[in-house]
């Protein structure tokens, strides 16, 4: 992944930190993530997204 894409993702994560609906725990994680390797952070986010997708309730047809 080009460095520009990493920079764009890092900026989006920083923007997410400032949203009022962002939980305290997620805000703390995102703030700590700014001092870490972006590849590690992206791998963690990808893993969390897969776990959430696997355990999300199935969509029901109306």
């Amino acid at each position: 992944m080009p460095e520009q894409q990493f920079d764009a993702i890092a900026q989006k994560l920083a923007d997410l930190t400032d949203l009022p609906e962002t939980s305290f725990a997620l805000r703390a994680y995102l703030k700590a993530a700014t001092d870490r390797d972006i590849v590690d952070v992206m791998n963690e986010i990808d893993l969390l997204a897969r776990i959430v997708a696997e355990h999300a309730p199935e969509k029901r047809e109306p």
Side-chain angles (χ1 to χ4, degrees):
M1 184 179 291
E3 188 173 334
Q4 287 178 329
Q5 284 182 311
F6 283 126
D7 292 342
I9 292 168
Q11 183 58 52
K12 287 181 181 183
L13 294 176
D15 293 343
L16 180 60
T17 302
D18 295 331
L19 294 177
E21 61 266 25
T22 300
S23 70
F24 176 78
L26 181 55
R27 187 174 285 121
Y29 173 80
L30 292 170
K31 286 182 179 181
T34 60
D35 296 328
R36 298 180 51 229
D37 180 66
I38 188 68
V39 174
D40 289 341
V41 173
M42 293 303 301
N43 287 336
E44 292 170 355
I45 291 171
D46 183 56
L47 177 61
L48 288 170
R50 280 189 267 147
I51 290 169
V52 168
E54 289 173 7
H55 297 286
E58 293 182 27
K59 293 182 180 178
R60 295 184 183 156
E61 295 295 322

